[in-house]
Amino acid sequence: TTMSTLVVLHTFLIFSPIFATSAWSVNNFLMTGPKAYLTYSASVAVGAQSGIEECKYQFTWERWNCPEHTIQLASQKGLRSATRETSFVHAVSSAGVMYTLTKNCSMGDFDNCGCDESRNGKVGGRGWVWGGCSDNVEFGERISKLFVDGLETGQDARALMNLHNNEAGRLAVKSTMKRTCKCHGVSGSCSVQTCWLQLADFRDIGNHLKVKHDQALKLEMDKKKIRSGNSADNKGAIVDIFGSVARTELVFLEDSPDYCLKNGSLALQGTEGRECLQSGKNLSQWEKRSCRRLCIECGLKVEERRIESISSCNCKFHWCCTVKCEQCKHVVTKHYCSKREKPSSNSHPRRKTRGQNR
Amino acid sequence: MYMATASFSNRVGQAVEKSCSSISLLTFPAPKPTSSLPSLAVKCIDVQKGHHSSKWFLPWGKDQCESLKGFDEASSRLIVANDIVFAVHIPFIGHEMSPWFQFMLIILQLDIAFQFRNEIEENAMLTLDVAMAYRDGLNDPWTEMARSVEQRKLKCVLPVPKTQANEGHNYDCDLLPLLELGSVAHKYYLLNIKLPVNDQKKINLGIGEIKDLRLVTIFQNGGFTQVWFAMKTFLTPSILIIMIWYWRRITMMTRPPVLLEKVIFALGISMTFINIPVEWFSIGFNWTWMLLFGDIRQGIFYAVLLSFWIIFCGEHMMVPLVAQFTCSCCREGRESLRDNSADLPDLALITSFYDQAERNRISVYWKQVGPIAFGSCCLFIFDMCERGVQLTNPFYSIWTTDIGAELAMAFIIVAGICACLYFLFLCFMVFQVFRNISGKRSTLPAMSKARRLHYEGLIFRFRFLMIITLACAALTVIFFITTQISEGNWKWGEVTIELNSAFFTGVYGMWNLYVFALMFLYAPSHKNYGEDQSNGCTGSGSGEELQLTTTIANIDGPTEVYRLAGKESQE
């Protein structure tokens, strides 16, 4: 976490001109000073991290399992791919930032965050007494946009793709929000009720984006156009293409490489040595097929390893903190993908190319 | 008949037009009626031994408590559940609460993560040690407002299947009402909540793994309060003036007022009771009983309105069949009726002259009014048990204990049964009146002109009330459903209409208008009355006219409709 904090802070320093030129109330920033930035950036870093955690969870049993180095939000010199997976990373990070900012806003971490005075056109306490506060989520969205979208300096199709996916991530936070109502009329009847939106579990947002990832749209761009993307005409054409896609959908430009294989230049680890699930209760269909997907379809074999582990069991829990456990010995069977000893006579192992046909 | 109806509807038209414009003007500037303020509790650490001191834990600002980011941190630092204090400050930094908010409800929500090893048990009970404090200045010390150990039932379901992969997913838990305040007299509020654990007493065991505690504060928007107050301040004199005018009309008559007149007057009184803007005082005084008082005021109005409908139907059911006379006129009136027996085929029904006196007592309607009174009493007791007790302990809720919940449910069910009974009676009576009317209709052409006018007037009067009542009720229901379905606002050109505000002000204004119209249109006429009375008893004029005028005068007093009808017939 500390590392990513530093990274985000670093990027903030690099891209501070963006904030200065941003139309969003510059005065606010100038008034509150750099201290406010620091509070935000800590939340932004935590949010980006939670997005990556969610990415790892969602892709645990996929060939591509969201390795650390994919966090390109902060590093510009990293490998800038524009694959389906990149779209997910951007969306989930941007959602994570928005989510964390919104949550921290509810905790009272930031001045003024929930009660935007511009909303009622009345400055000072009057607007709040007159019409209450805006949603904290609007604040989260705004700051997330400022920080995460601020990292995209380019004007090319790639930058536009990232901006589009960031936006889709933020919309996912909004669309998964749950509406809750409370009745408080005469004698508690429903003649008067107040409803509010609350953030869903971040897991639900992850699930939502995973579905969007599976349905992501590939945008066909003329390579030449992209390369000479500086001219205004081409830029307009690219913007038009992005405008034709619904804002909630994820988009990508390039096909994914083969994640089965190790590829040094693309920094891919391959699936060799990955754990997979074969049998066990409470497994979904997707999990049960993980060994086939990760190992067999990649030309690897499934290796069974029996591991003895000591873990806590028969625990007595409180709602927090205290755990009273016994130590138990378990023998667990785990499955891993490993190389076949001798290459099979069949030079083309069954392999499906990664596609939409799920 | 035409003339009478025309003048009647003219009066109605003007009244409707006037108040419609006033309603629509009032709804525009209002913001939405209530606001909700979500807050996430900060997990403070109470490092003192014994936890007995009355120290307050602040989530942020000066004297901020030492806090945890997450509970994973806690186990490594040897912090136990009893050391954790959830702290929430209301409202956010840089804002103050205001008396214009009128009331404050706080709802508790728990984020409980699903873990196979630590699931929520069946019928889990949450025990909360809550304390609330207030202050009016940022540097003032906190003053304790309430402190209590409360229990709430934990009703949670996991929205996903219970699998290994879904560990860590949050349960969906029912909202837990935490407290209700009837006035917001202070600027800053602070809540400190502990979830004490005791293995021996089995307190707070099996409630799962709590990740976060969230509070939602609901209060009325200041802008809505102001618009509402303005509306009340404006409506009070209008209803009051028409009420005085109406009562003057009644006292101008020599006979005592009949039941229906009294009920309409009672309706006026109960409407005024709701209208009187005593809420203005809540801005200056800390009157926590305002919520309860508001409930009682509304309850009284509903009871009177329901009684009025029954009595109105009852009066119109018998009116065409029974003629009544004051005793001095009895003999003559009876004779005149006999003379005109050809016009009245159902004369045989007119048997007792004591019907009038009998009908003038509310006890005749005990079957219908009884359920109203009983149901209202039930709801009143329920309300006293809930909001009444909350005056002493704002954290109290009748629903938290099993016995309390059953009792409350019993009261509500009884009230519901009473309401059903009432509506059955009402529908039956309306049906009877309509049968009566259609029966009368068939005999109308055979009647003399004056008598026909009288009956047509009665029918018209009943139909008119029926229509406006149904219209008001239908509008209320439609508005209600609309606001329930489409939360938020409607954009209409440049103007944004807050639907909920429009609903409350609109419906409130509409029922005020309804009561206003009732008193205005059904007030007895002051003209010709003395004349009719003397004429009736001395026997001048034809028997039929005599009968007609006395009947009208004695039932309800001649309204404008009858006065015109009577005049026409005399000419």
Side-chain angles (χ1 to χ4, degrees):
Chain A
T1 314
T2 48
M3 208 186 81
S4 65
T5 312
L6 285 174
V7 169
V8 170
L9 281 179
H10 172 72
T11 52
F12 161 64
L13 289 174
I14 293 172
F15 297 108
S16 49
I18 302 165
F19 301 125
T21 53
S22 142
W24 187 78
S25 44
V26 181
N27 286 338
N28 264 7
F29 266 119
L30 292 177
M31 277 190 314
T32 45
K35 208 184 160 195
Y37 273 137
L38 284 175
T39 24
Y40 291 150
S41 12
S43 293
V44 169
V46 171
Q49 189 57 37
S50 71
I52 296 306
E53 300 290 331
E54 184 60 30
C55 173
K56 282 189 174 162
Y57 170 85
Q58 293 291 342
F59 286 86
T60 318
W61 311 116
E62 301 273 358
R63 284 181 203 157
W64 178 81
N65 63 344
C66 204
E68 277 305 327
H69 67 81
T70 44
I71 310 164
Q72 290 175 349
L73 266 181
S75 75
Q76 290 291 304
K77 57 184 177 183
L79 296 160
R80 294 193 22 104
S81 56
T83 58
R84 189 189 283 267
E85 284 69 31
T86 320
S87 73
F88 183 84
V89 172
H90 275 271
V92 84
S93 315
S94 142
V97 171
M98 176 173 164
Y99 191 88
T100 310
L101 280 165
T102 308
K103 229 176 151 178
N104 289 352
C105 170
S106 311
M107 222 160 3
D109 275 7
F110 319 116
D111 296 2
N112 260 346
C113 66
C115 300
D116 185 359
E117 274 130 17
S118 63
R119 187 166 154 263
N120 292 307
K122 286 164 190 154
V123 184
R126 167 119 171 102
W128 140 258
V129 172
W130 178 264
C133 281
S134 53
D135 259 329
N136 291 345
V137 72
E138 282 169 30
F139 163 84
E141 189 180 12
R142 206 175 56 203
I143 303 295
S144 162
K145 199 167 181 157
L146 190 73
F147 271 79
V148 182
D149 287 5
L151 299 173
E152 294 305 326
T153 46
Q155 304 274 312
D156 56 346
R158 210 163 256 167
L160 283 176
M161 166 192 147
N162 291 344
L163 290 178
H164 181 101
N165 292 330
N166 290 346
E167 175 77 7
R170 286 190 292 268
L171 285 175
V173 178
K174 272 190 156 176
S175 63
T176 49
M177 285 179 94
K178 283 180 287 188
R179 202 179 121 159
T180 319
C181 293
K182 163 78 180 165
C183 295
H184 52 91
V186 183
S187 311
S189 69
C190 277
S191 62
V192 187
Q193 68 171 6
T194 303
C195 299
W196 64 93
L197 289 172
Q198 68 183 56
L199 291 173
D201 208 5
F202 196 61
R203 181 58 33 85
D204 293 333
I205 298 168
N207 292 341
H208 178 92
L209 285 174
K210 183 75 192 301
V211 174
K212 293 287 176 199
H213 160 269
D214 296 343
Q215 300 165 347
L217 301 167
K218 188 183 176 190
L219 294 185
E220 299 292 343
M221 293 274 172
D222 196 346
K223 284 263 162 89
K224 276 181 194 165
K225 259 188 189 173
I226 296 170
R227 238 167 249 156
S228 61
N230 280 336
S231 83
D233 287 350
N234 288 341
K235 203 193 149 200
I238 295 170
V239 170
D240 280 350
I241 293 172
F242 278 101
S244 63
V245 184
R247 295 198 303 153
T248 50
E249 301 304 314
L250 296 184
V251 291
F252 62 101
L253 304 173
E254 298 164 359
D255 286 321
S256 305
D258 188 346
Y259 290 115
C260 288
L261 304 172
K262 194 167 179 160
N263 186 335
S265 64
L266 290 172
L268 296 178
Q269 293 298 311
T271 55
E272 196 189 328
R274 288 273 303 277
E275 191 191 341
C276 64
L277 295 175
Q278 202 152 45
S279 56
K281 52 182 181 176
N282 297 329
L283 287 185
S284 71
Q285 199 66 24
W286 186 244
E287 288 164 338
K288 273 181 195 161
R289 286 206 192 139
S290 62
C291 282
R292 212 165 93 195
R293 192 167 50 241
L294 291 177
C295 312
I296 297 164
E297 287 175 7
C298 281
L300 301 168
K301 67 164 188 168
V302 183
E303 191 187 314
E304 202 176 280
R305 291 184 208 161
R306 294 174 74 81
I307 298 165
E308 196 174 83
S309 71
I310 296 170
S311 63
S312 42
C313 57
N314 301 326
C315 296
K316 275 183 188 158
F317 285 90
H318 288 163
W319 59 264
C320 133
C321 325
T322 318
V323 192
K324 286 172 194 161
C325 291
E326 290 165 25
Q327 299 285 309
C328 303
K329 250 183 203 176
H330 288 285
V331 176
V332 210
T333 314
K334 286 190 172 180
H335 298 91
Y336 293 90
C337 298
S338 68
K339 260 197 184 120
R340 288 166 198 264
E341 272 99 45
K342 51 179 179 179
S344 65
S345 53
N346 187 0
S347 60
H348 294 286
R350 275 191 302 151
R351 185 194 291 175
K352 265 188 215 162
T353 45
R354 212 190 163 298
Q356 276 92 340
N357 53 341
R358 295 236 173 115
Chain B
M1 174 64 201
Y2 171 74
M3 217 172 81
T5 318
S7 87
F8 187 74
S9 29
N10 265 351
R11 273 164 100 184
V12 176
Q14 280 165 8
V16 167
E17 223 168 83
K18 191 179 123 201
S19 55
C20 272
S21 57
S22 67
I23 291 168
S24 51
L25 273 177
L26 277 168
T27 54
F28 283 132
K32 59 183 191 315
T34 51
S35 264
S36 58
L37 197 68
S39 26
L40 192 67
V42 170
K43 300 144 192 148
C44 292
I45 312 163
D46 185 1
V47 281
Q48 292 169 310
K49 285 268 149 63
H51 313 306
H52 286 306
S53 78
S54 57
K55 190 183 172 228
W56 294 100
F57 292 87
L58 271 143
W60 37 254
K62 217 172 66 178
D63 309 321
Q64 186 178 355
C65 70
E66 191 189 345
S67 62
L68 290 171
K69 279 278 167 229
F71 288 127
D72 307 332
E73 204 184 320
S75 15
S76 58
R77 290 173 57 180
L78 296 175
I79 292 165
V80 292
N82 285 340
D83 296 336
I84 307 277
V85 181
F86 291 96
V88 175
H89 187 281
I90 296 165
F92 289 130
I93 306 177
H95 294 272
E96 308 174 342
M97 297 305 271
S98 147
W100 289 103
F101 293 162
Q102 295 287 294
F103 65 85
M104 186 160 84
L105 310 179
I106 300 183
I107 289 150
L108 180 87
Q109 284 179 293
L110 288 172
D111 286 348
I112 303 176
F114 165 71
Q115 296 287 347
F116 266 118
R117 42 183 203 180
N118 193 7
E119 284 188 61
I120 298 181
E121 284 167 14
E122 286 277 306
N123 301 321
M125 192 62 110
L126 188 73
T127 306
L128 302 147
D129 185 350
V130 265
M132 192 177 193
Y134 69 85
R135 69 177 175 187
D136 286 314
L138 280 171
N139 296 315
D140 293 357
W142 290 99
T143 315
E144 185 173 303
M145 259 181 94
R147 183 183 286 275
S148 172
V149 176
E150 291 295 321
Q151 292 205 312
R152 298 285 186 267
K153 258 190 201 164
L154 210 52
K155 283 180 203 151
C156 297
V157 282
L158 192 67
V160 288
K162 288 187 176 178
T163 60
Q164 204 76 39
N166 284 327
E167 275 203 335
H169 199 287
N170 283 353
Y171 283 93
D172 271 349
C173 293
D174 283 2
L175 301 177
L176 304 170
L178 184 66
L179 97 159
E180 229 176 286
L181 283 181
S183 71
V184 188
H186 304 288
K187 286 181 181 168
Y188 308 105
Y189 292 89
L190 177 70
L191 271 158
N192 277 181
I193 302 169
K194 286 186 194 178
L195 304 175
V197 176
N198 191 324
D199 284 308
Q200 278 86 48
K201 291 181 187 163
K202 300 220 183 288
I203 291 172
N204 279 341
L205 296 179
I207 55 172
E209 191 182 310
I210 295 173
K211 288 283 178 201
D212 268 314
L213 186 145
R214 284 176 291 131
L215 295 184
V216 180
T217 311
I218 294 173
F219 53 83
Q220 188 164 307
N221 276 329
F224 181 77
T225 311
Q226 285 167 20
V227 170
W228 194 247
F229 282 12
M231 198 166 167
K232 282 190 152 189
T233 316
F234 162 78
L235 285 170
T236 308
S238 2
I239 295 285
L240 205 64
I241 287 165
I242 196 79
M243 217 168 76
I244 293 165
W245 174 84
Y246 174 79
W247 195 242
R248 252 197 66 230
R249 279 285 176 92
I250 286 173
T251 47
M252 273 165 73
M253 289 187 300
T254 45
R255 58 164 180 83
V258 290
L259 181 61
L260 191 61
E261 286 164 350
K262 285 184 201 158
V263 172
I264 292 179
F265 189 65
L267 200 61
I269 290 175
S270 59
M271 194 78 242
T272 314
F273 190 44
I274 289 192
N275 282 344
I276 289 175
V278 275
E279 285 92 341
W280 281 113
F281 290 105
S282 69
I283 303 301
F285 300 94
N286 184 10
W287 285 355
T288 45
W289 42 267
M290 268 310 197
L291 274 183
L292 181 68
F293 186 58
D295 283 358
I296 293 171
R297 291 199 290 181
Q298 280 194 48
I300 291 173
F301 175 71
Y302 293 144
V304 175
L305 184 67
L306 296 180
S307 311
F308 162 74
W309 285 339
I310 280 289
I311 290 163
F312 189 85
C313 283
E315 298 294 294
H316 282 76
M317 188 153 65
M318 287 182 256
V319 160
L321 305 178
V322 187
Q324 316 89 32
F325 307 92
T326 50
C327 271
S328 60
C329 301
C330 281
R331 203 175 306 122
E332 213 163 335
R334 192 177 201 170
E335 276 159 13
S336 74
L337 279 175
R338 278 205 190 120
D339 293 344
N340 295 298
S341 54
D343 284 358
L344 272 175
D346 48 0
L347 188 67
L349 288 169
I350 309 165
T351 44
S352 163
F353 292 129
Y354 297 101
D355 262 15
Q356 159 70 6
E358 209 174 287
R359 237 157 27 81
N360 244 337
R361 279 183 287 116
I362 196 148
S363 52
V364 181
Y365 296 100
W366 69 269
K367 254 192 298 183
Q368 291 86 4
V369 177
I372 303 173
F374 192 65
S376 310
C377 280
C378 282
L379 286 179
F380 175 69
I381 295 169
F382 164 73
D383 218 54
M384 284 307 284
C385 290
E386 176 88 3
R387 284 191 169 158
V389 179
Q390 273 167 0
L391 294 180
T392 54
N393 176 13
F395 299 108
Y396 178 83
S397 171
I398 196 169
W399 298 101
T400 52
T401 56
D402 282 330
I403 305 165
E406 274 165 29
L407 207 70
M409 211 59 219
F411 278 130
I412 289 171
I413 288 171
V414 170
I417 292 170
C418 287
C420 289
L421 267 178
Y422 168 81
F423 277 103
L424 279 179
F425 276 127
L426 187 66
C427 291
F428 178 65
M429 282 179 93
V430 170
F431 166 73
Q432 273 194 322
V433 174
F434 271 113
R435 207 180 51 183
N436 222 320
I437 284 172
S438 58
K440 226 23 344 98
R441 269 276 157 97
S442 56
T443 61
L444 275 180
M447 289 179 187
S448 70
K449 195 185 172 194
R451 186 176 295 280
R452 200 175 68 231
L453 278 175
H454 162 57
Y455 282 123
E456 278 176 347
L458 274 182
I459 291 167
F460 176 73
R461 190 170 86 144
F462 181 77
R463 290 232 162 127
F464 178 75
L465 185 92
M466 194 73 195
I467 287 164
I468 61 163
T469 305
L470 282 180
C472 283
L475 274 178
T476 307
V477 171
I478 290 167
F479 275 164
F480 181 71
I481 292 170
T482 318
T483 49
Q484 298 278 312
I485 293 171
S486 62
E487 163 81 7
N489 41 42
W490 275 350
K491 285 233 161 35
W492 191 36
E494 299 251 313
V495 199
T496 313
I497 303 174
E498 278 296 340
L499 265 189
N500 277 317
S501 296
F503 165 67
F504 290 123
T505 46
V507 166
Y508 181 56
M510 187 177 70
W511 287 104
N512 258 289
L513 173 66
Y514 180 82
V515 174
F516 186 94
L518 274 181
M519 285 194 286
F520 183 56
L521 299 170
Y522 292 88
S525 174
H526 61 297
K527 287 175 192 162
N528 297 337
Y529 184 74
E531 234 177 281
D532 287 347
Q533 188 74 2
S534 56
N535 282 355
C537 282
T538 50
S540 74
S542 77
E544 186 183 292
E545 271 163 35
L546 165 81
Q547 187 270 331
L548 179 71
T549 45
T550 45
T551 306
I552 294 161
N554 286 332
I555 297 158
D556 303 305
T559 63
E560 294 289 279
V561 187
Y562 306 123
R563 190 172 58 75
L564 287 164
K567 247 187 184 171
E568 204 182 305
S569 70
Q570 272 172 350
E571 276 158 10

